[in-house]
């Protein structure tokens, strides 16, 4: 057992170095090798992480098939381990082959970027820490407003560079659409930051197909981020996923486990920390809604029992098989959950089986909206 673990960890370190080198020095041969790996969706060795490509052409960005959402380590997910334990877990994620880490200015605010910078800056060139602008932050507090004016984007970029302890952001997302700033101005500003070498790629979160097309025409997008899982499939219905496919843009589902619910560890009796957890404000996380929606988790658990999978692995596996340009970013504060998430990549499930799961889940109505009215107003469609 010890020798196998050593081999696995050694391989993943090598994989991380290889992917990082490809991101920094994308020679033709390196890019070609990565593309072949994505097309075959193969694993270089037992336990290794396959590589997926977000975006296309000059906007292409090679990352591990599963990323890591850092948000819950400091923000909106109730109690969490202390800073040293969080750093230790992030280092484990790197060691196990994850090369995409996601944070944002509004998480904390600011504290999540600070943690990511402290924990991950030593791996510059090996992994990629992406962040987001858009939510207005004044004196370290969120105002609830959006501000994507060019001067603000530039200021947020400089501040994120300092907190993340780097001189270039691998990807900079607009976190929420700013109705007061034309998207062409946002895209143009990002394009200028790219020319200056401060940003490598860019993306947007929770926006409409029309907005995606306008932004992409001005400055090619690498990824769109939106909530997507078996209990929220709006991007399949509103054209966002098709637009990404048609334009060669990657897709990064956030909350791929529906804020932990699909993992089966949350129920109507769960008590959320009202000082650091937004779930108690969400209609879908009210006790009566969770009681009703547990039927969906039961379907995932039944499906998983027949295949040796947990409900979390079923939820992540379903996302991964939807399209090769999808890279989920589950977050966790537990080593056991990190291992569980990564082991999703070890399972083989046929398209027919996934379709049967979809149909079974679709028979159960989802109770409760995903956002309250105030938060829903911030979504760009």
């Amino acid at each position: 057992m010890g020798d196998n673990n050593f081999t696995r960890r050694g391989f993943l370190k090598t994989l991380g170095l290889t992917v990082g080198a490809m991101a920094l020095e994308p020679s033709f041969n390196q890019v070609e090798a990565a593309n072949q790996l994505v097309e075959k969706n193969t694993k270089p060795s037992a336990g290794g992480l396959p590589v997926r490509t977000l975006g296309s052409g000059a906007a292409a960005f090679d990352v591990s098939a599963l990323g890591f959402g850092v948000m819950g380590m400091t923000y909106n997910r109730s109690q969490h381990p202390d800073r040293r334990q969080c750093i230790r877990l992030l280092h484990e994620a790197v060691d196990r082959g994850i090369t995409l880490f996601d944070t944002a200015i509004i998480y904390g605010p600011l504290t999540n970027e600070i943690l990511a910078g402290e924990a991950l800056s030593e791996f510059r060139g090996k992994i990629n820490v992406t962040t987001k602008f858009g939510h207005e932050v004044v004196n370290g507090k969120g105002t609830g407003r959006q501000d994507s004016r060019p001067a603000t984007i530039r200021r947020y970029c400089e501040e994120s560079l300092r907190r993340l302890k780097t001189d270039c952001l691998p990807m900079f997302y607009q976190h929420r659409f700013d109705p007061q700033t034309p998207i062409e101005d946002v895209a143009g500003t990002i394009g200028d930051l790219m020319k200056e070498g401060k940003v490598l790629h860019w993306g947007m979160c929770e926006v409409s197909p029309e907005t995606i097309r306008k932004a992409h025409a001005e400055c090619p997008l690498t990824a769109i981020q939106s909530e997507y899982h078996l209990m929220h499939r709006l991007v399949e219905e509103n054209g966002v996923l098709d637009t990404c496919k048609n334009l060669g843009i990657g897709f990064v589902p956030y909350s791929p486990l529906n804020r932990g619910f699909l993992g089966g560890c949350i129920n109507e009796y769960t008590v959320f920390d009202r000082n650091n957890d937004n779930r108690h404000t969400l209609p879908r996380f009210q006790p009566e809604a969770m009681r009703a929606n547990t039927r969906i988790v039961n379907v995932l658990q039944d499906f998983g029992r027949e295949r040796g999978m947990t409900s979390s692995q079923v939820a992540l596996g379903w996302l991964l098989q939807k399209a090769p340009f999808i890279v989920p970013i589950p977050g966790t504060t537990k080593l056991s959950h990190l291992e569980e998430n990564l082991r999703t990549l070890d399972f083989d499930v046929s398209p027919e089986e996934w379709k049967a799961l979809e149909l079974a889940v679709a028979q159960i109505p989802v109770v409760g909206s995903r956002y309250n009215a105030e938060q829903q107003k911030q979504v760009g469609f």
Side-chain angles (χ1 to χ4, degrees):
M1 179 66 74
D3 288 343
N4 288 340
N5 285 343
F6 177 81
T7 300
R8 179 175 183 271
R9 290 161 70 90
F11 163 75
L12 288 171
K13 286 181 178 178
T14 302
L15 178 63
L17 286 167
T18 302
V19 173
M22 289 165 61
L24 289 176
E25 299 178 287
S27 70
F28 176 80
N29 288 339
Q30 290 169 326
V31 173
E32 185 64 22
N35 288 341
Q36 290 174 3
L37 188 60
V38 173
E39 290 169 4
K40 295 177 182 177
N41 197 27
T42 58
K43 299 168 190 161
S45 69
L49 301 190
V51 174
R52 288 193 167 188
T53 301
L54 298 171
S56 55
F61 186 26
D62 294 323
V63 297
S64 52
L66 276 177
F68 190 107
V70 183
M71 184 196 80
M73 287 187 152
T74 65
Y75 183 64
N76 263 349
R77 287 300 175 267
S78 291
Q79 297 80 16
H80 51 79
D82 66 24
R83 179 183 56 81
R84 287 181 300 174
Q85 290 172 304
C86 287
I87 290 173
R88 188 177 300 121
L89 182 61
L90 289 169
H91 287 185
E92 281 285 348
V94 174
D95 195 36
R96 291 164 190 254
I98 292 179
T99 64
L100 179 67
F101 294 83
D102 181 89
T103 183
I105 294 169
I106 194 64
Y107 300 159
L110 311 183
T111 59
N112 207 249
E113 277 194 338
I114 292 169
L115 171 66
E118 183 176 358
L120 298 170
S121 60
E122 66 184 89
F123 303 106
R124 284 175 58 185
K126 303 175 185 177
I127 57 102
N128 301 285
V129 181
T130 68
T131 191
K132 312 180 194 76
F133 66 91
H135 289 293
E136 185 180 57
V137 176
V138 177
N139 297 325
K141 295 182 179 180
T143 67
R145 298 186 295 266
Q146 306 304 312
D147 186 355
S148 287
R149 292 174 295 177
T152 306
I153 295 173
R154 284 188 163 277
R155 176 167 59 84
Y156 283 164
C157 177
E158 295 294 342
E159 292 171 355
S160 289
L161 288 170
R162 286 196 294 272
R163 284 188 291 269
L164 293 174
K165 299 182 179 181
T166 186
D167 54 9
C168 181
L169 300 176
M171 183 149 64
F172 206 22
Y173 292 94
Q174 184 187 38
H175 207 159
R176 288 294 185 269
F177 180 73
D178 177 5
Q180 304 303 317
T181 305
I183 195 58
E184 292 84 355
D185 292 353
V186 174
T189 302
I190 294 293
D192 290 341
L193 289 170
M194 288 179 175
K195 292 173 185 174
E196 295 164 22
K198 295 179 179 179
V199 173
L200 289 181
H201 307 90
W202 85 295
M204 304 178 74
C205 305
E206 295 285 9
V207 285
S208 68
E210 180 184 7
T211 301
I212 293 170
R213 286 190 288 268
K214 288 180 179 178
H216 189 68
E218 183 71 28
C219 182
L221 286 154
T222 290
I224 297 297
Q225 206 177 114
S226 189
E227 183 172 349
Y228 184 37
H229 48 74
L230 274 162
M231 288 179 62
H232 185 78
R233 297 171 60 183
L234 182 61
V235 293
E236 296 177 15
E237 304 161 9
N238 63 13
V240 167
L241 213 53
D242 284 340
T243 300
C244 288
K245 179 180 180 180
N246 294 336
L247 296 178
I249 300 170
F251 188 83
V252 177
Y254 72 81
S255 294
L257 301 178
N258 188 20
R259 297 166 178 82
F261 186 76
L262 293 176
C265 297
I266 297 172
N267 58 40
E268 61 189 285
Y269 303 107
T270 300
V271 177
F272 301 113
D273 181 353
R274 290 177 174 264
N275 295 317
N276 187 39
D277 203 318
N278 67 339
R279 287 175 290 189
H280 77 274
T281 71
L282 306 178
R284 197 163 289 173
F285 283 83
Q286 302 311 303
E288 62 277 8
M290 287 193 285
R291 185 184 311 122
N293 291 332
T294 295
R295 293 176 294 171
I296 296 173
V297 179
N298 291 340
V299 170
L300 271 63
Q301 289 172 334
D302 289 343
F303 183 90
R305 284 191 192 100
E306 297 177 0
R307 296 161 180 83
M309 304 171 72
T310 66
S311 59
S312 292
Q313 290 169 337
V314 172
L316 292 173
W318 176 81
L319 278 171
L320 286 164
Q321 61 85 40
K322 293 299 287 185
F325 57 84
I326 288 177
V327 179
I329 49 170
T332 186
T333 57
K334 298 177 176 64
L335 178 59
S336 60
H337 287 174
L338 171 64
E339 178 72 21
E340 177 185 2
N341 293 342
L342 292 177
R343 288 296 298 273
T344 301
L345 298 160
D346 294 342
F347 293 96
D348 259 338
V349 179
S350 71
E352 293 76 20
E353 290 173 293
W354 287 125
K355 188 62 178 177
L357 174 68
E358 280 189 14
L359 293 174
V361 171
Q363 301 304 310
I364 305 172
V366 177
V367 176
S369 302
R370 65 164 175 150
Y371 283 143
N372 58 33
E374 180 181 352
Q375 290 167 302
Q376 186 59 38
K377 286 190 295 187
Q378 298 179 355
V379 176
F381 48 79

